[in-house]
Amino acid sequence: KQEVTQIPAALSVPEGENLVLNCSFTDSAIYNLQWFRQDPGKGLTSLLLIQSSQREQTSGRLNASLDKSSGRSTLYIAASQPGDSATYLCAFRLQGGSEKLVFGKGTKLTVNP
Amino acid sequence: DGGITQSPKYLFRKEGQNVTLSCEQNLNHDAMYWYRQDPGQGLRLIYYSQIVNDFQKGDIAEGYSVSREKKESFPLTVTSAQKNPTAFYLCASSLRRLAGLTDTQYFGPGTRLTVL
Protein backbone atom coordinates (compact mmCIF):
# COMPACT_ATOMS: atom_id res chain seq x y z
CA LYS A 1 0.00 0.00 0.00
CA GLN A 2 1.37 3.37 -0.99
CA GLU A 3 1.70 5.74 1.92
CA VAL A 4 3.04 9.20 2.62
CA THR A 5 4.20 10.16 6.10
CA GLN A 6 4.76 13.75 7.17
CA ILE A 7 6.70 14.56 10.29
CA PRO A 8 6.13 16.49 12.45
CA ALA A 9 2.33 16.70 12.46
CA ALA A 10 2.56 20.19 13.92
CA LEU A 11 5.36 22.71 14.30
CA SER A 12 5.52 26.09 16.02
CA VAL A 13 8.47 28.42 15.42
CA PRO A 14 9.35 32.07 16.05
CA GLU A 15 9.36 34.45 13.12
CA GLY A 16 12.60 34.55 11.15
CA GLU A 17 13.60 30.97 11.79
CA ASN A 18 14.62 28.65 8.97
CA LEU A 19 12.74 25.36 9.07
CA VAL A 20 12.44 21.99 7.36
CA LEU A 21 9.31 19.92 6.80
CA ASN A 22 9.73 16.23 6.06
CA CYS A 23 7.84 13.88 3.79
CA SER A 24 8.60 10.18 3.32
CA PHE A 25 6.96 7.83 0.84
CA THR A 26 6.90 4.07 0.47
CA ASP A 27 7.08 3.64 -3.30
CA SER A 28 10.26 4.70 -5.11
CA ALA A 29 8.59 4.44 -8.52
CA ILE A 30 7.26 7.94 -8.36
CA TYR A 31 6.61 10.16 -11.37
CA ASN A 32 6.67 13.43 -9.46
CA LEU A 33 6.15 14.91 -6.02
CA GLN A 34 4.27 18.06 -5.12
CA TRP A 35 4.18 20.29 -2.08
CA PHE A 36 0.93 22.13 -1.34
CA ARG A 37 -0.17 24.76 1.16
CA GLN A 38 -3.64 24.75 2.70
CA ASP A 39 -5.07 27.57 4.78
CA PRO A 40 -7.90 26.74 7.22
CA GLY A 41 -11.14 25.96 5.41
CA LYS A 42 -9.58 26.63 2.02
CA GLY A 43 -8.43 24.68 -0.99
CA LEU A 44 -4.86 23.64 -1.74
CA THR A 45 -2.29 25.88 -3.40
CA SER A 46 0.53 24.19 -5.29
CA LEU A 47 3.94 25.40 -4.10
CA LEU A 48 6.50 23.25 -5.88
CA LEU A 49 6.49 20.24 -8.17
CA ILE A 50 9.58 18.04 -8.52
CA GLN A 51 9.82 15.58 -11.38
CA SER A 52 11.42 12.21 -10.63
CA SER A 53 14.46 13.19 -12.69
CA GLN A 54 15.05 16.32 -10.59
CA ARG A 55 16.71 16.70 -7.21
CA GLU A 56 15.24 20.01 -6.12
CA GLN A 57 13.06 22.98 -7.00
CA THR A 58 13.16 26.51 -5.65
CA SER A 59 10.60 29.28 -5.49
CA GLY A 60 11.45 32.38 -3.49
CA ARG A 61 12.05 31.38 0.13
CA LEU A 62 10.97 27.79 -0.53
CA ASN A 63 13.22 24.95 -1.58
CA ALA A 64 12.04 21.37 -2.04
CA SER A 65 14.34 18.40 -2.47
CA LEU A 66 13.69 14.85 -3.60
CA ASP A 67 15.68 11.71 -2.83
CA LYS A 68 13.96 8.77 -4.46
CA SER A 69 16.44 6.20 -3.20
CA SER A 70 15.66 6.98 0.41
CA GLY A 71 11.99 7.79 -0.23
CA ARG A 72 12.23 11.29 1.17
CA SER A 73 11.41 14.85 0.29
CA THR A 74 11.99 17.98 2.34
CA LEU A 75 10.52 21.44 2.13
CA TYR A 76 12.86 24.13 3.38
CA ILE A 77 11.36 27.51 4.33
CA ALA A 78 13.85 30.30 4.84
CA ALA A 79 13.28 33.29 7.13
CA SER A 80 9.78 32.20 8.13
CA GLN A 81 7.01 34.78 8.45
CA PRO A 82 3.62 34.72 10.23
CA GLY A 83 1.99 34.58 6.80
CA ASP A 84 3.61 31.19 6.26
CA SER A 85 1.32 29.72 8.93
CA ALA A 86 -0.73 27.01 7.23
CA THR A 87 -0.85 23.26 6.74
CA TYR A 88 1.69 21.91 4.28
CA LEU A 89 0.89 18.73 2.36
CA CYS A 90 3.05 16.61 0.16
CA ALA A 91 1.74 14.23 -2.48
CA PHE A 92 3.34 11.96 -5.03
CA ARG A 93 2.19 10.52 -8.34
CA LEU A 94 3.30 7.09 -9.45
CA GLN A 95 4.93 6.21 -12.74
CA GLY A 96 2.94 4.34 -15.35
CA GLY A 97 0.48 7.03 -16.26
CA SER A 98 -1.46 6.94 -13.02
CA GLU A 99 -3.59 10.01 -12.37
CA LYS A 100 -3.72 9.32 -8.66
CA LEU A 101 -1.98 11.57 -6.15
CA VAL A 102 -1.15 9.96 -2.81
CA PHE A 103 -1.32 12.58 -0.06
CA GLY A 104 0.21 12.83 3.35
CA LYS A 105 -1.78 14.11 6.31
CA GLY A 106 0.15 17.35 6.42
CA THR A 107 2.25 19.39 8.82
CA LYS A 108 0.50 22.28 10.53
CA LEU A 109 2.94 25.17 10.78
CA THR A 110 2.53 28.14 13.09
CA VAL A 111 4.98 31.04 12.83
CA ASN A 112 4.75 33.29 15.85
CA PRO A 113 5.44 37.04 15.54
CA ASP B 1 -9.92 35.67 -13.85
CA GLY B 2 -8.93 32.09 -14.57
CA GLY B 3 -9.52 29.48 -11.93
CA ILE B 4 -11.65 26.79 -10.39
CA THR B 5 -14.92 27.58 -8.65
CA GLN B 6 -16.90 25.35 -6.36
CA SER B 7 -20.40 25.95 -5.09
CA PRO B 8 -21.88 26.11 -2.63
CA LYS B 9 -19.24 26.83 0.00
CA TYR B 10 -21.38 25.23 2.71
CA LEU B 11 -24.05 22.59 2.16
CA PHE B 12 -26.37 20.90 4.60
CA ARG B 13 -28.19 17.71 3.78
CA LYS B 14 -30.72 15.58 5.53
CA GLU B 15 -30.10 11.87 5.72
CA GLY B 16 -31.49 10.06 2.69
CA GLN B 17 -31.13 13.03 0.33
CA ASN B 18 -28.94 13.23 -2.72
CA VAL B 19 -26.97 16.46 -3.18
CA THR B 20 -24.87 17.75 -6.07
CA LEU B 21 -21.67 19.75 -5.65
CA SER B 22 -20.65 22.02 -8.49
CA CYS B 23 -17.15 22.40 -9.92
CA GLU B 24 -16.33 24.67 -12.84
CA GLN B 25 -12.98 25.63 -14.37
CA ASN B 26 -12.05 28.13 -17.07
CA LEU B 27 -8.39 27.08 -17.30
CA ASN B 28 -9.01 24.94 -20.40
CA HIS B 29 -7.75 21.95 -18.44
CA ASP B 30 -8.50 18.48 -19.71
CA ALA B 31 -8.47 16.53 -16.44
CA MET B 32 -10.63 17.12 -13.39
CA TYR B 33 -10.72 15.43 -9.99
CA TRP B 34 -12.81 15.14 -6.86
CA TYR B 35 -11.21 14.58 -3.45
CA ARG B 36 -12.59 14.17 0.01
CA GLN B 37 -10.78 15.51 3.09
CA ASP B 38 -11.58 14.43 6.62
CA PRO B 39 -10.03 15.95 9.77
CA GLY B 40 -6.54 14.64 10.43
CA GLN B 41 -6.44 12.66 7.18
CA GLY B 42 -4.90 13.15 3.79
CA LEU B 43 -7.00 13.79 0.71
CA ARG B 44 -8.62 10.75 -0.85
CA LEU B 45 -9.56 10.51 -4.51
CA ILE B 46 -13.24 9.92 -5.27
CA TYR B 47 -13.43 10.19 -9.08
CA TYR B 48 -11.41 11.69 -11.89
CA SER B 49 -11.96 12.49 -15.54
CA GLN B 50 -9.25 12.85 -18.17
CA ILE B 51 -11.50 13.86 -21.07
CA VAL B 52 -15.10 14.79 -21.73
CA ASN B 53 -17.62 11.95 -21.45
CA ASP B 54 -15.15 9.73 -19.62
CA PHE B 55 -14.37 9.26 -15.93
CA GLN B 56 -12.81 6.67 -13.61
CA LYS B 57 -13.33 5.65 -10.02
CA GLY B 58 -10.81 6.64 -7.41
CA ASP B 59 -10.19 4.99 -4.06
CA ILE B 60 -13.53 5.81 -2.42
CA ALA B 61 -16.12 6.04 -5.22
CA GLU B 62 -18.89 4.11 -3.45
CA GLY B 63 -21.92 6.31 -2.77
CA TYR B 64 -20.82 9.00 -5.23
CA SER B 65 -21.51 9.67 -8.91
CA VAL B 66 -20.12 12.15 -11.45
CA SER B 67 -20.67 13.32 -15.01
CA ARG B 68 -18.43 15.11 -17.50
CA GLU B 69 -20.64 16.44 -20.27
CA LYS B 70 -18.58 19.61 -20.74
CA LYS B 71 -14.86 20.23 -20.45
CA GLU B 72 -15.44 23.04 -17.96
CA SER B 73 -17.73 21.20 -15.56
CA PHE B 74 -17.42 18.11 -13.34
CA PRO B 75 -20.31 17.91 -10.85
CA LEU B 76 -20.26 15.41 -8.00
CA THR B 77 -23.44 13.86 -6.61
CA VAL B 78 -23.36 12.51 -3.08
CA THR B 79 -26.05 9.88 -2.92
CA SER B 80 -27.96 8.47 0.03
CA ALA B 81 -25.81 5.35 -0.34
CA GLN B 82 -22.80 7.24 1.03
CA LYS B 83 -22.85 6.27 4.69
CA ASN B 84 -20.68 9.02 6.12
CA PRO B 85 -20.80 11.99 3.73
CA THR B 86 -19.92 14.78 6.17
CA ALA B 87 -16.56 16.07 4.93
CA PHE B 88 -14.73 18.80 3.02
CA TYR B 89 -14.88 18.19 -0.74
CA LEU B 90 -12.20 19.54 -3.06
CA CYS B 91 -12.25 19.72 -6.83
CA ALA B 92 -9.06 20.01 -8.88
CA SER B 93 -8.03 20.23 -12.51
CA SER B 94 -4.85 19.79 -14.52
CA LEU B 95 -3.59 20.22 -18.05
CA ARG B 96 -3.02 17.11 -20.08
CA ARG B 97 0.37 17.07 -21.76
CA LEU B 98 0.93 15.75 -25.25
CA ALA B 99 2.53 12.62 -23.79
CA GLY B 100 -0.75 11.77 -22.15
CA LEU B 101 0.27 12.68 -18.64
CA THR B 102 -1.12 15.51 -16.58
CA ASP B 103 0.61 18.40 -14.95
CA THR B 104 0.25 20.16 -11.62
CA GLN B 105 -3.19 19.91 -10.08
CA TYR B 106 -4.92 23.17 -9.24
CA PHE B 107 -7.55 23.14 -6.54
CA GLY B 108 -10.83 24.93 -5.97
CA PRO B 109 -11.82 26.50 -2.63
CA GLY B 110 -13.85 23.47 -1.48
CA THR B 111 -17.37 22.69 -0.32
CA ARG B 112 -18.07 21.68 3.26
CA LEU B 113 -20.94 19.19 3.39
CA THR B 114 -22.71 18.46 6.65
CA VAL B 115 -25.35 15.80 7.06
CA LEU B 116 -27.94 16.71 9.67
Side-chain angles (χ1 to χ4, degrees), chain A residues 34-83:
Chain A
Q34 276 187 263
W35 282 93
F36 294 89
R37 168 187 173 136
Q38 185 177 29
D39 293 289
K42 306 290 186 183
L44 276 65
T45 301
S46 180
L47 298 173
L48 291 164
L49 182 148
I50 310 176
Q51 301 292 353
S52 62
S53 58
Q54 299 173 323
R55 293 299 299 266
E56 64 178 333
Q57 283 285 339
T58 298
S59 176
R61 295 183 293 108
L62 305 180
N63 175 276
S65 67
L66 176 63
D67 184 342
K68 287 199 308 178
S69 62
S70 65
R72 292 182 181 179
S73 176
T74 61
L75 179 67
Y76 175 82
I77 302 177
S80 58
Q81 303 170 357

Short mmCIF file of all heavy atoms in Angstrom, two decimals, chain A residues 34-83:
data_model
loop_
_atom_site.label_atom_id
_atom_site.label_comp_id
_atom_site.label_asym_id
_atom_site.label_seq_id
_atom_site.Cartn_x
_atom_site.Cartn_y
_atom_site.Cartn_z
N GLN A 34 4.70 16.68 -5.26
CA GLN A 34 4.27 18.06 -5.12
C GLN A 34 4.16 18.44 -3.66
O GLN A 34 3.77 17.61 -2.82
CB GLN A 34 2.87 18.25 -5.75
CG GLN A 34 2.89 18.48 -7.23
CD GLN A 34 1.50 18.83 -7.77
OE1 GLN A 34 0.79 17.97 -8.27
NE2 GLN A 34 1.12 20.08 -7.66
N TRP A 35 4.46 19.70 -3.37
CA TRP A 35 4.18 20.29 -2.08
C TRP A 35 3.05 21.30 -2.25
O TRP A 35 3.08 22.12 -3.17
CB TRP A 35 5.41 20.97 -1.51
CG TRP A 35 6.40 20.02 -0.91
CD1 TRP A 35 7.47 19.44 -1.53
CD2 TRP A 35 6.41 19.55 0.44
NE1 TRP A 35 8.13 18.63 -0.65
CE2 TRP A 35 7.52 18.68 0.57
CE3 TRP A 35 5.61 19.78 1.57
CZ2 TRP A 35 7.83 18.03 1.76
CZ3 TRP A 35 5.92 19.14 2.75
CH2 TRP A 35 7.02 18.28 2.84
N PHE A 36 2.07 21.23 -1.31
CA PHE A 36 0.93 22.13 -1.34
C PHE A 36 0.83 22.87 0.00
O PHE A 36 1.30 22.38 1.03
CB PHE A 36 -0.39 21.36 -1.52
CG PHE A 36 -0.56 20.66 -2.83
CD1 PHE A 36 -0.10 19.36 -3.00
CD2 PHE A 36 -1.18 21.30 -3.89
CE1 PHE A 36 -0.28 18.70 -4.21
CE2 PHE A 36 -1.36 20.64 -5.11
CZ PHE A 36 -0.90 19.34 -5.26
N ARG A 37 0.16 24.01 -0.05
CA ARG A 37 -0.17 24.76 1.16
C ARG A 37 -1.69 24.81 1.26
O ARG A 37 -2.38 25.00 0.25
CB ARG A 37 0.40 26.17 1.05
CG ARG A 37 -0.11 27.12 2.10
CD ARG A 37 0.34 28.54 1.87
NE ARG A 37 -0.33 29.42 2.83
CZ ARG A 37 0.28 30.37 3.50
NH1 ARG A 37 1.58 30.61 3.29
NH2 ARG A 37 -0.38 31.13 4.35
N GLN A 38 -2.21 24.64 2.49
CA GLN A 38 -3.64 24.75 2.70
C GLN A 38 -3.91 25.64 3.91
O GLN A 38 -3.46 25.34 5.02
CB GLN A 38 -4.29 23.37 2.92
CG GLN A 38 -5.81 23.45 3.01
CD GLN A 38 -6.47 22.09 3.14
OE1 GLN A 38 -5.89 21.15 3.67
NE2 GLN A 38 -7.70 21.97 2.64
N ASP A 39 -4.62 26.72 3.69
CA ASP A 39 -5.07 27.57 4.78
C ASP A 39 -6.38 27.02 5.33
O ASP A 39 -7.11 26.33 4.62
CB ASP A 39 -5.23 29.01 4.29
CG ASP A 39 -3.90 29.63 3.91
OD1 ASP A 39 -3.12 29.91 4.84
OD2 ASP A 39 -3.62 29.79 2.71
N PRO A 40 -6.70 27.31 6.58
CA PRO A 40 -7.90 26.74 7.22
C PRO A 40 -9.16 26.96 6.41
O PRO A 40 -9.47 28.08 6.03
CB PRO A 40 -7.95 27.46 8.57
CG PRO A 40 -6.54 27.82 8.85
CD PRO A 40 -5.94 28.17 7.52
N GLY A 41 -9.88 25.87 6.13
CA GLY A 41 -11.14 25.96 5.41
C GLY A 41 -11.02 26.31 3.95
O GLY A 41 -12.02 26.65 3.30
N LYS A 42 -9.82 26.25 3.41
CA LYS A 42 -9.58 26.63 2.02
C LYS A 42 -9.10 25.45 1.19
O LYS A 42 -8.82 24.37 1.70
CB LYS A 42 -8.53 27.75 1.95
CG LYS A 42 -8.84 28.96 2.81
CD LYS A 42 -9.99 29.75 2.27
CE LYS A 42 -10.19 31.04 3.05
NZ LYS A 42 -11.36 31.81 2.59
N GLY A 43 -8.99 25.68 -0.12
CA GLY A 43 -8.43 24.68 -0.99
C GLY A 43 -6.92 24.64 -0.90
O GLY A 43 -6.31 25.36 -0.11
N LEU A 44 -6.31 23.79 -1.74
CA LEU A 44 -4.86 23.64 -1.74
C LEU A 44 -4.23 24.55 -2.79
O LEU A 44 -4.78 24.74 -3.88
CB LEU A 44 -4.48 22.21 -2.07
CG LEU A 44 -4.47 21.20 -0.93
CD1 LEU A 44 -5.86 20.99 -0.36
CD2 LEU A 44 -3.91 19.87 -1.42
N THR A 45 -3.07 25.09 -2.46
CA THR A 45 -2.29 25.88 -3.40
C THR A 45 -0.98 25.15 -3.67
O THR A 45 -0.26 24.81 -2.73
CB THR A 45 -1.98 27.27 -2.83
OG1 THR A 45 -3.21 27.94 -2.55
CG2 THR A 45 -1.16 28.09 -3.81
N SER A 46 -0.70 24.88 -4.94
CA SER A 46 0.53 24.19 -5.29
C SER A 46 1.72 25.12 -5.08
O SER A 46 1.72 26.27 -5.53
CB SER A 46 0.48 23.74 -6.75
OG SER A 46 1.66 23.06 -7.11
N LEU A 47 2.74 24.62 -4.37
CA LEU A 47 3.94 25.40 -4.10
C LEU A 47 5.08 25.02 -5.04
O LEU A 47 5.69 25.86 -5.69
CB LEU A 47 4.38 25.20 -2.65
CG LEU A 47 3.40 25.64 -1.57
CD1 LEU A 47 3.90 25.22 -0.20
CD2 LEU A 47 3.20 27.15 -1.62
N LEU A 48 5.37 23.74 -5.08
CA LEU A 48 6.50 23.25 -5.88
C LEU A 48 6.17 21.86 -6.39
O LEU A 48 5.54 21.07 -5.69
CB LEU A 48 7.78 23.19 -5.04
CG LEU A 48 8.39 24.54 -4.62
CD1 LEU A 48 9.40 24.34 -3.51
CD2 LEU A 48 9.05 25.22 -5.83
N LEU A 49 6.62 21.57 -7.60
CA LEU A 49 6.49 20.24 -8.17
C LEU A 49 7.87 19.77 -8.60
O LEU A 49 8.58 20.51 -9.30
CB LEU A 49 5.54 20.25 -9.36
CG LEU A 49 5.26 18.90 -10.04
CD1 LEU A 49 3.85 18.84 -10.60
CD2 LEU A 49 6.26 18.62 -11.16
N ILE A 50 8.28 18.59 -8.16
CA ILE A 50 9.58 18.04 -8.52
C ILE A 50 9.37 16.79 -9.34
O ILE A 50 8.72 15.84 -8.90
CB ILE A 50 10.40 17.67 -7.27
CG1 ILE A 50 10.44 18.81 -6.26
CG2 ILE A 50 11.82 17.28 -7.67
CD1 ILE A 50 11.15 18.45 -4.98
N GLN A 51 9.89 16.77 -10.56
CA GLN A 51 9.82 15.58 -11.38
C GLN A 51 10.80 14.55 -10.84
O GLN A 51 11.78 14.90 -10.17
CB GLN A 51 10.14 15.91 -12.83
CG GLN A 51 9.22 16.95 -13.47
CD GLN A 51 7.80 16.45 -13.67
OE1 GLN A 51 7.48 15.28 -13.46
NE2 GLN A 51 6.92 17.36 -14.06
N SER A 52 10.58 13.29 -11.18
CA SER A 52 11.42 12.21 -10.63
C SER A 52 12.87 12.34 -11.07
O SER A 52 13.78 11.85 -10.39
CB SER A 52 10.87 10.85 -11.05
OG SER A 52 10.90 10.72 -12.46
N SER A 53 13.10 13.02 -12.18
CA SER A 53 14.46 13.19 -12.69
C SER A 53 15.19 14.37 -12.04
O SER A 53 16.38 14.58 -12.27
CB SER A 53 14.43 13.40 -14.20
OG SER A 53 13.64 14.53 -14.53
N GLN A 54 14.48 15.14 -11.23
CA GLN A 54 15.05 16.32 -10.59
C GLN A 54 15.42 16.03 -9.15
O GLN A 54 14.88 15.11 -8.52
CB GLN A 54 14.06 17.49 -10.67
CG GLN A 54 13.72 17.90 -12.09
CD GLN A 54 12.61 18.94 -12.14
OE1 GLN A 54 11.68 18.91 -11.34
NE2 GLN A 54 12.72 19.86 -13.08
N ARG A 55 16.32 16.86 -8.61
CA ARG A 55 16.71 16.70 -7.21
C ARG A 55 16.08 17.77 -6.33
O ARG A 55 15.88 17.56 -5.15
CB ARG A 55 18.23 16.76 -7.08
CG ARG A 55 18.94 15.60 -7.73
CD ARG A 55 18.53 14.28 -7.09
NE ARG A 55 18.86 14.22 -5.68
CZ ARG A 55 20.00 13.69 -5.21
NH1 ARG A 55 20.90 13.22 -6.04
NH2 ARG A 55 20.20 13.64 -3.91
N GLU A 56 15.83 18.96 -6.91
CA GLU A 56 15.24 20.01 -6.12
C GLU A 56 14.58 21.05 -7.00
O GLU A 56 14.84 21.14 -8.20
CB GLU A 56 16.28 20.66 -5.22
CG GLU A 56 17.39 21.38 -5.95
CD GLU A 56 18.38 22.03 -4.97
OE1 GLU A 56 17.96 22.37 -3.85
OE2 GLU A 56 19.54 22.19 -5.34
N GLN A 57 13.72 21.84 -6.35
CA GLN A 57 13.06 22.98 -7.00
C GLN A 57 13.03 24.12 -5.99
O GLN A 57 12.90 23.89 -4.78
CB GLN A 57 11.64 22.63 -7.42
CG GLN A 57 11.52 21.79 -8.67
CD GLN A 57 11.78 22.59 -9.92
OE1 GLN A 57 11.67 23.83 -9.95
NE2 GLN A 57 12.13 21.89 -10.99
N THR A 58 13.15 25.33 -6.52
CA THR A 58 13.16 26.51 -5.65
C THR A 58 12.15 27.52 -6.15
O THR A 58 11.99 27.72 -7.35
CB THR A 58 14.56 27.14 -5.63
OG1 THR A 58 15.48 26.19 -5.09
CG2 THR A 58 14.58 28.39 -4.77
N SER A 59 11.50 28.17 -5.18
CA SER A 59 10.60 29.28 -5.49
C SER A 59 10.64 30.25 -4.33
O SER A 59 10.13 29.98 -3.24
CB SER A 59 9.17 28.78 -5.70
OG SER A 59 8.28 29.86 -5.91
N GLY A 60 11.33 31.39 -4.55
CA GLY A 60 11.45 32.38 -3.49
C GLY A 60 12.14 31.83 -2.26
O GLY A 60 13.26 31.31 -2.34
N ARG A 61 11.45 31.88 -1.11
CA ARG A 61 12.05 31.38 0.13
C ARG A 61 11.86 29.88 0.32
O ARG A 61 12.24 29.33 1.36
CB ARG A 61 11.42 32.12 1.32
CG ARG A 61 11.73 33.61 1.36
CD ARG A 61 11.13 34.30 2.59
NE ARG A 61 9.67 34.32 2.54
CZ ARG A 61 8.89 33.57 3.32
NH1 ARG A 61 9.40 32.73 4.20
NH2 ARG A 61 7.57 33.68 3.24
N LEU A 62 11.25 29.23 -0.63
CA LEU A 62 10.97 27.79 -0.53
C LEU A 62 11.94 26.99 -1.40
O LEU A 62 12.24 27.37 -2.52
CB LEU A 62 9.54 27.50 -0.99
CG LEU A 62 8.41 28.25 -0.32
CD1 LEU A 62 7.08 27.83 -0.90
CD2 LEU A 62 8.43 28.03 1.18
N ASN A 63 12.39 25.88 -0.83
CA ASN A 63 13.22 24.95 -1.58
C ASN A 63 12.77 23.54 -1.24
O ASN A 63 12.69 23.17 -0.06
CB ASN A 63 14.70 25.13 -1.24
CG ASN A 63 15.57 24.09 -1.92
OD1 ASN A 63 15.73 22.97 -1.43
ND2 ASN A 63 16.13 24.44 -3.07
N ALA A 64 12.44 22.76 -2.26
CA ALA A 64 12.04 21.37 -2.04
C ALA A 64 13.06 20.45 -2.67
O ALA A 64 13.52 20.69 -3.78
CB ALA A 64 10.66 21.11 -2.63
N SER A 65 13.40 19.39 -1.96
CA SER A 65 14.34 18.40 -2.47
C SER A 65 13.67 17.04 -2.55
O SER A 65 12.69 16.77 -1.87
CB SER A 65 15.57 18.32 -1.56
OG SER A 65 15.18 17.79 -0.29
N LEU A 66 14.24 16.20 -3.40
CA LEU A 66 13.69 14.85 -3.60
C LEU A 66 14.83 13.85 -3.65
O LEU A 66 15.78 14.02 -4.42
CB LEU A 66 12.90 14.78 -4.90
CG LEU A 66 12.35 13.41 -5.29
CD1 LEU A 66 11.35 12.91 -4.27
CD2 LEU A 66 11.73 13.47 -6.69
N ASP A 67 14.73 12.81 -2.81
CA ASP A 67 15.68 11.71 -2.83
C ASP A 67 14.88 10.43 -2.98
O ASP A 67 14.37 9.88 -2.00
CB ASP A 67 16.50 11.69 -1.54
CG ASP A 67 17.58 10.62 -1.57
OD1 ASP A 67 17.49 9.69 -2.39
OD2 ASP A 67 18.51 10.69 -0.76
N LYS A 68 14.77 9.96 -4.21
CA LYS A 68 13.96 8.77 -4.46
C LYS A 68 14.52 7.53 -3.79
O LYS A 68 13.77 6.68 -3.31
CB LYS A 68 13.83 8.53 -5.96
CG LYS A 68 12.94 9.49 -6.69
CD LYS A 68 12.50 8.95 -8.03
CE LYS A 68 13.66 8.49 -8.88
NZ LYS A 68 13.22 7.92 -10.16
N SER A 69 15.83 7.41 -3.75
CA SER A 69 16.44 6.20 -3.20
C SER A 69 16.09 6.00 -1.74
O SER A 69 15.91 4.86 -1.28
CB SER A 69 17.94 6.22 -3.41
OG SER A 69 18.52 7.32 -2.72
N SER A 70 16.00 7.10 -1.01
CA SER A 70 15.66 6.98 0.41
C SER A 70 14.17 7.21 0.65
O SER A 70 13.70 7.06 1.78
CB SER A 70 16.47 8.00 1.23
OG SER A 70 16.10 9.33 0.89
N GLY A 71 13.43 7.56 -0.38
CA GLY A 71 11.99 7.79 -0.23
C GLY A 71 11.67 9.02 0.59
O GLY A 71 10.75 8.99 1.42
N ARG A 72 12.43 10.10 0.36
CA ARG A 72 12.23 11.29 1.17
C ARG A 72 12.21 12.56 0.34
O ARG A 72 12.87 12.68 -0.68
CB ARG A 72 13.33 11.42 2.21
CG ARG A 72 13.30 10.37 3.28
CD ARG A 72 14.39 10.60 4.29
NE ARG A 72 14.38 9.58 5.33
CZ ARG A 72 15.23 9.52 6.33
NH1 ARG A 72 16.16 10.45 6.45
NH2 ARG A 72 15.15 8.57 7.22
N SER A 73 11.40 13.50 0.83
CA SER A 73 11.41 14.85 0.29
C SER A 73 11.37 15.82 1.47
O SER A 73 10.79 15.51 2.51
CB SER A 73 10.20 15.09 -0.61
OG SER A 73 10.17 16.44 -1.07
N THR A 74 12.03 16.95 1.31
CA THR A 74 11.99 17.98 2.34
C THR A 74 11.58 19.30 1.72
O THR A 74 11.89 19.59 0.56
CB THR A 74 13.35 18.15 3.02
OG1 THR A 74 14.31 18.56 2.05
CG2 THR A 74 13.81 16.88 3.69
N LEU A 75 10.87 20.08 2.51
CA LEU A 75 10.52 21.44 2.13
C LEU A 75 11.21 22.37 3.11
O LEU A 75 10.95 22.31 4.31
CB LEU A 75 9.01 21.66 2.16
CG LEU A 75 8.54 23.09 1.80
CD1 LEU A 75 8.84 23.40 0.34
CD2 LEU A 75 7.06 23.27 2.08
N TYR A 76 12.09 23.19 2.58
CA TYR A 76 12.86 24.13 3.38
C TYR A 76 12.23 25.52 3.22
O TYR A 76 12.02 25.98 2.09
CB TYR A 76 14.31 24.14 2.90
CG TYR A 76 15.20 25.15 3.57
CD1 TYR A 76 15.76 24.90 4.82
CD2 TYR A 76 15.51 26.35 2.94
CE1 TYR A 76 16.58 25.82 5.43
CE2 TYR A 76 16.34 27.28 3.54
CZ TYR A 76 16.88 27.01 4.78
OH TYR A 76 17.70 27.93 5.38
N ILE A 77 11.92 26.15 4.35
CA ILE A 77 11.36 27.51 4.33
C ILE A 77 12.37 28.41 5.02
O ILE A 77 12.69 28.22 6.21
CB ILE A 77 9.99 27.59 5.03
CG1 ILE A 77 9.00 26.62 4.38
CG2 ILE A 77 9.45 29.01 4.99
CD1 ILE A 77 7.63 26.58 5.07
N ALA A 78 12.87 29.37 4.30
CA ALA A 78 13.85 30.30 4.84
C ALA A 78 13.16 31.54 5.42
O ALA A 78 12.14 32.00 4.90
CB ALA A 78 14.82 30.74 3.74
N ALA A 79 13.74 32.04 6.52
CA ALA A 79 13.28 33.29 7.13
C ALA A 79 11.76 33.30 7.26
O ALA A 79 11.07 34.15 6.67
CB ALA A 79 13.75 34.48 6.29
N SER A 80 11.23 32.38 8.03
CA SER A 80 9.78 32.20 8.13
C SER A 80 9.07 33.47 8.61
O SER A 80 9.63 34.27 9.37
CB SER A 80 9.46 31.04 9.07
OG SER A 80 10.00 31.26 10.35
N GLN A 81 7.83 33.63 8.13
CA GLN A 81 7.01 34.78 8.45
C GLN A 81 5.65 34.31 8.97
O GLN A 81 5.21 33.20 8.65
CB GLN A 81 6.80 35.62 7.19
CG GLN A 81 8.07 36.08 6.52
CD GLN A 81 7.82 36.71 5.16
OE1 GLN A 81 6.68 36.77 4.68
NE2 GLN A 81 8.88 37.20 4.54
N PRO A 82 4.95 35.13 9.75
CA PRO A 82 3.62 34.72 10.23
C PRO A 82 2.67 34.32 9.10
O PRO A 82 1.83 33.43 9.28
CB PRO A 82 3.13 35.97 10.97
CG PRO A 82 4.37 36.62 11.47
CD PRO A 82 5.40 36.39 10.38
N GLY A 83 2.82 34.93 7.95
CA GLY A 83 1.99 34.58 6.80
C GLY A 83 2.26 33.19 6.24
O GLY A 83 1.47 32.69 5.43
#
